[in-house]
């Protein structure tokens, strides 16, 4: 009579535990390279853009006031130029990196 899937799985993990092999693929095996880092950054910026656009759209639907009201509220906070430029960079970097890395990949 054959074994069940649960028994097969237990046998597999028991064999792996005894052999002390690392899980494959394991992150610590690979040497970090520029293409790997660029791929991870591309995926991260894609997720960030997706979340940002989704949250902005949800806010536009649910918040009671129009955009100029919230823009005036941010201006009234009198934030310093360093914080404003940092926020602008945080918004522009994912878009520009994701776009140009996508173009690079297509070329």
């Amino acid at each position: 009579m054959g074994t069940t899937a649960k028994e097969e799985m237990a046998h597999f993990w028991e064999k792996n535990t005894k052999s002390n092999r690392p899980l494959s693929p394991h992150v610590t095996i690979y040497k970090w390279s520029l293409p790997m880092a660029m791929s991870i950054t591309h995926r991260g910026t894609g997720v960030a853009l997706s979340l940002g656009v989704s949250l902005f759209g949800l806010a536009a639907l649910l918040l009671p006031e129009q955009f100029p009201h919230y823009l005036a509220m941010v201006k009234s906070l009198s934030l310093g130029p360093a914080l404003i430029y940092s926020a602008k960079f945080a918004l522009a970097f994912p878009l520009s990196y994701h776009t140009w890395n996508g173009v690079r990949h297509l070329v």
Side-chain angles (χ1 to χ4, degrees):
M1 201 164 178
T3 58
T4 65
K6 191 173 185 178
E7 292 169 344
E8 287 290 330
M9 188 75 110
H11 175 69
F12 171 79
W13 284 112
E14 182 182 323
K15 186 174 119 183
N16 263 359
T17 305
K18 285 180 183 175
S19 65
N20 274 339
R21 289 185 292 189
L23 296 176
S24 180
H26 201 273
V27 178
T28 58
I29 293 172
Y30 300 110
K31 180 181 175 190
W32 280 79
S33 63
L34 184 60
M36 181 189 293
M38 289 177 72
S39 175
I40 292 169
T41 306
H42 184 79
R43 290 173 191 213
T45 55
V47 168
L49 288 170
S50 178
L51 288 174
V53 167
S54 298
L55 290 175
F56 188 78
L58 192 61
L61 288 173
L62 298 178
L63 290 175
E65 297 292 331
Q66 296 295 319
F67 182 72
H69 170 76
Y70 298 108
L71 185 61
M73 190 184 333
V74 170
K75 285 183 179 179
S76 71
L77 294 174
S78 299
L79 303 172
L83 189 60
I84 295 292
Y85 288 125
S86 298
K88 286 180 179 181
F89 179 78
L91 291 172
F93 175 75
L95 180 65
S96 59
Y97 181 85
H98 194 78
T99 300
W100 289 110
N101 195 45
V103 169
R104 181 196 65 84
H105 180 72
L106 287 174
V107 169

